[in-house]
Amino acid sequence: MARYLSIAAALAATGAFAITPEQMLSAPRRSTATPNSSGEIALFSVSEYSFENQTRSAAWQLLNLQTGEITDSGLSASDVKEAVWLPGTDTGIIYINGTNEETPGGVTIWIGDIRSPSESKLVASLGAPFSGLRVANTSSGDLHFLVNSLAYPNGTAYPNGTAYPNGTAYNPESVPEPRYSGRLYENIYPRHWDHWLTKERYAVFGGALLANSSYGLANTALRNLLQGIEFNVTRPESPVQPFGGSTDYDISPDGNVFAFLNKATHLNKAEFTASYIYLGPFDGSEIAAPFNGPDSEASAGGHKGASGSPTFSPDGFKLAYTQLDGDYYESDRSKLYVVDISTDSGKVGVSSWKPLAPEWDRSVGSIHWAPDSESIFVSAEDYAITRAFNIPVSAEETFVPERLTNVTSVSDFSVLPDSSLLVSASSVWTSRDFYVLKADGTQNVLFSSLDLDEALAGLGSHTYEEFFYTGSLGSELHSLVVKPSNFVKNKTYPLAYIIHGGPQGSNGNVWSTGWNFQVWADQGYIVVAPNPTGSTGFGQYLTDAIQGNWGSYPYEDIVLGWEYVKENLSYVDTENGIVAGASYGGYMTNWIQGHDLGDEFKAIVTHDGISNTLGAYSSEELWFLRHDFNGTIYDEGATYEKFNPINHIANWSTPQFVVHNSLDYRLPESNGLALFNILQSKGIPSRFLNFPDESHGVLNVENLLFWHTEIFNWINHYSGVGGKLDNVPIGE
Ligand SMILES: *[C@@H]1O[C@H](CO)[C@@H](O)[C@H](O)[C@H]1NC(C)=O
Ligand SMILES: *[C@@H]1O[C@H](CO)[C@@H](O)[C@H](O)[C@H]1NC(C)=O
Ligand SMILES: *[C@@H]1O[C@H](CO)[C@@H](O)[C@H](O)[C@H]1NC(C)=O
Ligand SMILES: *[C@@H]1O[C@H](CO)[C@@H](O)[C@H](O)[C@H]1NC(C)=O
Ligand SMILES: *[C@@H]1O[C@H](CO)[C@@H](O)[C@H](O)[C@H]1NC(C)=O
Ligand SMILES: *[C@@H]1O[C@H](CO)[C@@H](O)[C@H](O)[C@H]1NC(C)=O
Ligand SMILES: *[C@@H]1O[C@H](CO)[C@@H](O)[C@H](O)[C@H]1NC(C)=O
Ligand SMILES: *[C@@H]1O[C@H](CO)[C@@H](O)[C@H](O)[C@H]1NC(C)=O
Ligand SMILES: *[C@@H]1O[C@H](CO)[C@@H](O)[C@H](O)[C@H]1NC(C)=O
Ligand SMILES: *[C@@H]1O[C@H](CO)[C@@H](O)[C@H](O)[C@H]1NC(C)=O
Ligand SMILES: *[C@@H]1O[C@H](CO)[C@@H](O)[C@H](O)[C@H]1NC(C)=O
Ligand SMILES: *[C@@H]1O[C@H](CO)[C@@H](O)[C@H](O)[C@H]1NC(C)=O
């Protein structure tokens, strides 16, 4: 591999254009696009924010897959929360309307035609905020659908003693005010990500819309498909929280079988990641059961970790899914599996369990079957971009699929009837590209946000580069470089060194509204974003090598990367650089503060990062620390101590900006407060930014603008690019 490679002709941009945080945050955001069954049109949503009016506007739009023409669909985005094509029809749609006039807090299901959406008809009134619609058309013409919602546990009753039917969907708007606010726990996991756990758990529900009665709902209550599953430690829940959604379950094309993901019921869910795929008949004649759980062939083969993306083949005979090996690791290689489904004599069963290309050293993300059910298209992270690959069902163990896409990152894709792919992509320079990738490799670019969005005008791949350097473990490490839009060759720009989170994650060539490298670069920096030990997408060895080594190999890699930049990139001013990171990246900035590299920066930005590894045990997903620190805090205390940033306070001296949010239950704000308190009492210039309504990241656009403004003021002041610190923080 060349030591230095530039993927785009290094054009110096001509204009003085630069993208500001405000432009980036107000620019349109587009969802991925879903094609109709013939692959002629695709539906997607777009929304944009006006800082002037403090309003967000949204629309559902149609993309013509031959011409790239975009038109408004006529579907109201304020009403329609999600929409899918109605299987078996040309232009039919079925959608969830967020308003239910009968039951406040509920939703409604409507069926219509995309050519005349205003004539859609309400077919079902659901008494809770269901989402995640998946639909199958059965041979009788009835539609079978799946949705999910929080559900009451068995035996729940109103305070007056009136019982709810067991397992019914939970509608927060119909719940009477409780008499007290205390929350009592005796199981691990009082809270998760950004919320305290209550008694309710998510469940997948099934319902039928009958063809013979204008698609009226068969029974008024939907069936909770998790009911009846036995457990002795962890109550069944699907989708798996906090990020699970409709890709955690699927319905067979004939509507007769469902599959969903559920965490291991015999393991506690804070210390284990294991989850299995459950299957059951839609008619409810059997209770859903897992096929890759403890007594399965998969388990016997050592595959015991988190499962994902159960996906039926178009012919309905197979199911593909992913699974990790380790039962308390979340960043193991995600491998692809396929099983045959049988429904002989009404009983749902599986056979011919088979790993596909298990030696391929990449982690499988999304799964999309080819129309002939003979191969599976998957996405996987590979050298800092997510690419599409194709794996035949007949693949041998040693099969290595070819890269089908490059340059930009695949956000998601759909397979068209002729096996070409409709790809929704992004990169450092475009928030959304739509293109069709033909089987012969040719690409038909239909749309690029660069061409349409004023805020993005002038961006391009000319600011993007990457380099490779030798890391602490002897392997070649990858790093991104993003230059300012108005970069000129004979100038130097201070370094903005950005460390990614995870640590099992990556700095990738993607568009982001949180850490948008072009926006940082356009403040007047060269962004260098390395992928040190722990990073994903470069092979499992690099990812796994971080275990028990949070402050060693990655730190050394980050030092080596910084030295590489100093020696090789003449346009980077390393004398006036800054370093920034969130989550693990925040931990690393705290580690850098206490080590020699900290002296090389003018300022540090730490977002929701560990300052005290012992305090980090107030986290929630305890498997994470247990894995990464090589054991629990009581068995492996020495590893926690060895890599504890707070043990190096004596060396702290660099001005530091600390962000820590109140709803961050992954790493409670006490970690950021301790850091800030120490900086302040040591007299080190520092600021503390807290969002009471944000979790581990920042989502609200107005909050994001404040986040950018204050961080940029800080770094621009210390790096000398011109920030002002004349705003008035909340004082003494
Ligand atoms: C803000 O609202 C005003 C008045 O309705 C409108 O004219 C203007 O176009 C809006 N601005 C944006 C950016 O949406
Ligand atoms: C469902 O499929 C049946 C049989 O293939 C077909 O006749 C019917 O039109 C389809 N209905 C819908 C709403 O897709
Ligand atoms: C897909 O959409 C196009 C454009 O509305 C329509 O003409 C076509 O019939 C649809 N095809 C199918 C099979 O859904
Ligand atoms: C959504 O539901 C509301 C209340 O029933 C109705 O007024 C509105 O027209 C519906 N919108 C759509 C797009 O179905
Ligand atoms: C509901 O659950 C409770 C508690 O598990 C149980 O006692 C009751 O029998 C269940 N009700 C029905 C209708 O099964
Ligand atoms: C108990 O409370 C619920 C919710 O307020 C109400 O719907 C129900 O009618 C009440 N039952 C009785 C017997 O009062
Ligand atoms: C409609 O079909 C369902 C089964 O799919 C059946 O139970 C019901 O009796 C039918 N109703 C009418 C009005 O034909
Ligand atoms: C909850 O109640 C349903 C019936 O209402 C039953 O099928 C199920 O087994 C019960 N689950 C537990 C865990 O008691
Ligand atoms: C739960 O059940 C499993 C078997 O499915 C058993 O191995 C385990 O010991 C049980 N755990 C508890 C806490 O009862
Ligand atoms: C990579 O992208 C270039 C265009 O930038 C294209 O010519 C080439 O065919 C692509 N290669 C693959 C494997 O997609
Ligand atoms: C950089 O080059 C431009 C023209 O290429 C010239 O106008 C400018 O003076 C140069 N600046 C420096 C600092 O040399
Ligand atoms: C500790 O880390 C080493 C090296 O990564 C690994 O081989 C070992 O299995 C780990 N031990 C535990 C208890 O996780």
Side-chain angles (χ1 to χ4, degrees):
M1 193 82 60
R3 269 191 82 77
Y4 189 88
L5 55 115
S6 156
I7 66 139
L11 298 168
T14 44
F17 175 82
I19 185 166
T20 64
E22 198 163 348
Q23 284 173 313
M24 179 272 287
L25 292 168
S26 56
R29 295 182 187 182
R30 294 175 185 82
S31 70
T32 56
T34 21
N36 77 342
S37 61
S38 63
E40 285 164 76
I41 49 168
L43 186 65
F44 67 96
S45 66
V46 57
S47 80
E48 57 192 295
Y49 186 76
S50 158
F51 282 103
E52 185 190 342
N53 297 341
Q54 294 177 42
T55 50
R56 180 170 284 283
S57 58
W60 286 97
Q61 296 186 328
L62 290 170
L63 173 70
N64 182 313
L65 300 186
Q66 277 81 46
T67 63
E69 187 196 0
I70 287 179
T71 49
D72 198 84
S73 71
L75 270 181
S76 147
S78 56
D79 289 347
V80 179
K81 299 302 156 206
E82 44 183 282
V84 294
W85 296 102
L86 193 56
T89 66
D90 282 353
T91 48
I93 46 166
I94 176 166
Y95 62 85
I96 292 185
N97 181 328
T99 310
N100 184 328
E101 282 175 347
E102 282 175 11
T103 314
V107 297
T108 47
I109 297 184
W110 297 59
I111 287 181
D113 189 292
I114 200 66
R115 290 167 299 194
S116 51
S118 62
E119 289 160 32
S120 302
K121 279 179 35 200
L122 192 159
V123 293
S125 165
L126 308 179
F130 288 96
S131 65
L133 186 61
R134 311 213 61 160
V135 188
N137 178 23
T138 66
S139 57
S140 70
D142 291 351
L143 298 172
H144 288 180
F145 67 93
L146 306 181
V147 283
N148 77 82
S149 162
L150 276 173
Y152 286 103
N154 276 10
T156 319
Y158 281 118
N160 65 13
T162 301
Y164 282 105
N166 290 343
T168 35
Y170 172 74
N171 179 348
E173 290 189 28
S174 70
V175 178
E177 265 306 294
R179 292 167 59 178
Y180 53 86
S181 63
R183 326 183 234 229
L184 182 66
Y185 296 89
E186 68 171 348
N187 292 317
I188 206 159
Y189 240 6
R191 54 190 199 173
H192 195 193
W193 194 257
D194 59 358
H195 65 277
W196 288 82
L197 264 75
T198 58
K199 286 182 185 163
E200 296 76 33
R201 298 284 177 273
Y202 279 89
V204 181
F205 289 80
L209 299 169
L210 304 181
N212 63 4
S213 54
S214 308
Y215 297 114
L217 190 60
N219 298 297
T220 45
L222 303 185
R223 192 165 79 84
N224 179 334
L225 306 181
L226 276 62
Q227 281 289 52
I229 297 173
E230 290 188 4
F231 67 96
N232 63 0
V233 179
T234 289
R235 188 139 50 92
E237 178 164 44
S238 188
V240 172
Q241 299 304 302
F243 300 118
S246 62
T247 54
D248 278 9
Y249 50 91
D250 196 14
I251 184 162
S252 63
D254 64 6
N256 291 334
V257 184
F258 61 82
F260 61 79
L261 208 59
N262 183 36
K263 283 194 79 168
T265 53
H266 66 296
L267 299 173
N268 94 54
K269 63 181 174 184
E271 290 183 304
F272 293 90
T273 50
S275 64
Y276 313 124
I277 311 284
Y278 284 62
L279 282 180
F282 191 85
D283 65 12
S285 56
E286 285 172 70
I287 291 166
F291 65 78
N292 60 337
D295 301 321
S296 66
E297 198 179 345
S299 182
H303 315 294
K304 302 181 175 193
S307 303
S309 305
T311 312
F312 288 99
S313 60
D315 64 12
F317 295 132
K318 298 183 175 72
L319 182 96
Y321 69 100
T322 60
Q323 191 173 16
L324 280 57
D325 286 354
D327 65 1
Y328 69 101
Y329 189 20
E330 60 181 334
S331 304
D332 234 349
R333 189 188 312 156
S334 163
K335 296 178 194 161
L336 181 65
Y337 298 91
V338 65
V339 286
D340 287 344
I341 306 280
S342 67
T343 49
D344 293 346
S345 59
K347 230 181 128 50
V348 178
V350 306
S351 58
S352 311
W353 171 85
K354 186 188 173 200
L356 297 187
E359 289 172 25
W360 179 40
D361 195 7
R362 289 293 181 264
S363 272
V364 171
S366 63
I367 292 177
H368 303 274
W369 282 89
D372 62 4
S373 299
E374 295 293 335
S375 73
I376 301 169
F377 291 93
V378 300
S379 67
E381 211 184 346
D382 177 59
Y383 282 92
I385 58 179
T386 299
R387 304 177 200 260
F389 299 85
N390 181 262
I391 302 178
V393 170
S394 61
E396 300 292 330
E397 294 215 339
T398 54
F399 179 79
V400 174
E402 280 173 26
R403 296 167 173 159
L404 302 179
T405 62
N406 64 13
V407 188
T408 57
S409 261
V410 171
S411 307
D412 202 4
F413 61 88
S414 302
V415 187
L416 301 176
D418 65 352
S419 283
S420 53
L421 306 182
L422 168 62
V423 181
S424 304
S426 87
S427 68
V428 160
W429 59 87
T430 172
S431 63
R432 177 60 75 230
D433 282 3
F434 295 124
Y435 64 88
V436 172
L437 178 70
K438 300 251 167 60
D440 66 7
T442 57
Q443 282 184 17
N444 179 17
V445 180
L446 299 166
F447 170 81
S448 177
S449 58
L450 274 183
D451 301 333
L452 200 68
D453 300 347
E454 237 173 83
L456 275 60
L459 300 191
S461 58
H462 57 275
T463 58
Y464 180 82
E465 290 177 358
E466 21 189 34
F467 67 82
F468 288 85
Y469 67 102
T470 305
S472 59
L473 290 164
S475 58
E476 289 288 282
L477 296 180
H478 171 274
S479 178
L480 311 186
V481 177
V482 181
K483 296 175 181 174
S485 299
N486 55 9
F487 176 81
V488 287
K489 272 190 177 150
N490 54 2
K491 272 185 72 175
T492 66
Y493 301 82
L495 168 68
Y497 207 31
I498 298 184
I499 317 299
H500 68 69
Q504 295 90 351
S506 67
N507 274 321
N509 183 11
V510 291
W511 185 260
S512 165
T513 52
W515 293 79
N516 185 299
F517 297 146
Q518 192 63 61
V519 168
W520 283 66
D522 280 352
Q523 294 289 306
Y525 296 90
I526 302 292
V527 168
V528 177
N531 283 308
T533 299
S535 298
T536 51
F538 305 93
Q540 199 59 34
Y541 171 73
L542 191 70
T543 309
D544 290 348
I546 194 147
Q547 188 180 31
N549 288 297
W550 265 36
S552 56
Y553 305 137
Y555 174 75
E556 291 157 30
D557 294 340
I558 283 164
V559 171
L560 290 166
W562 183 86
E563 287 170 353
Y564 179 90
V565 170
K566 188 176 158 76
E567 282 156 28
N568 296 280
L569 306 189
S570 59
Y571 50 91
V572 183
D573 168 11
T574 47
E575 301 285 304
N576 292 297
I578 64 98
V579 63
S583 193
Y584 174 80
Y587 161 88
M588 182 46 72
T589 61
N590 293 333
W591 190 248
I592 288 171
Q593 174 68 291
H595 290 79
D596 291 349
L597 187 63
D599 299 336
E600 306 292 349
F601 297 107
K602 291 287 193 228
I604 296 176
V605 178
T606 300
H607 177 110
D608 290 27
I610 293 176
S611 59
N612 175 3
T613 49
L614 307 181
Y617 231 71
S618 44
S619 185
E620 14 83 293
E621 294 176 349
L622 298 178
W623 68 71
F624 172 65
L625 292 168
R626 178 181 168 207
H627 176 271
D628 274 29
F629 284 89
N630 228 215
T632 61
I633 201 161
Y634 43 92
D635 289 333
E636 281 294 329
T639 311
Y640 291 77
E641 276 297 348
K642 185 175 175 191
F643 296 119
N644 198 348
I646 222 149
N647 292 343
H648 301 270
I649 297 173
N651 302 333
W652 294 9
S653 64
T654 306
Q656 189 164 1
F657 190 100
V658 181
V659 186
H660 216 122
N661 298 332
S662 298
L663 297 184
D664 186 0
Y665 298 159
R666 184 158 185 74
L667 179 68
E669 63 199 324
S670 52
N671 250 262
L673 285 165
L675 172 63
F676 180 62
N677 289 346
I678 296 165
L679 290 162
Q680 284 286 311
S681 59
K682 287 198 75 178
I684 301 167
S686 44
R687 280 186 172 181
F688 183 73
L689 172 60
N690 164 262
F691 293 101
D693 53 347
E694 297 282 3
S695 176
H696 203 49
V698 178
L699 297 175
N700 175 289
V701 181
E702 294 283 353
N703 287 346
L704 272 170
L705 182 60
F706 190 68
W707 183 92
H708 278 93
T709 306
E710 293 311 317
I711 288 174
F712 287 168
N713 280 343
W714 180 261
I715 61 172
N716 294 352
H717 172 76
Y718 283 101
S719 67
V721 312
K724 295 193 295 284
L725 291 184
D726 57 2
N727 60 345
V728 186
I730 300 168
E732 289 76 43

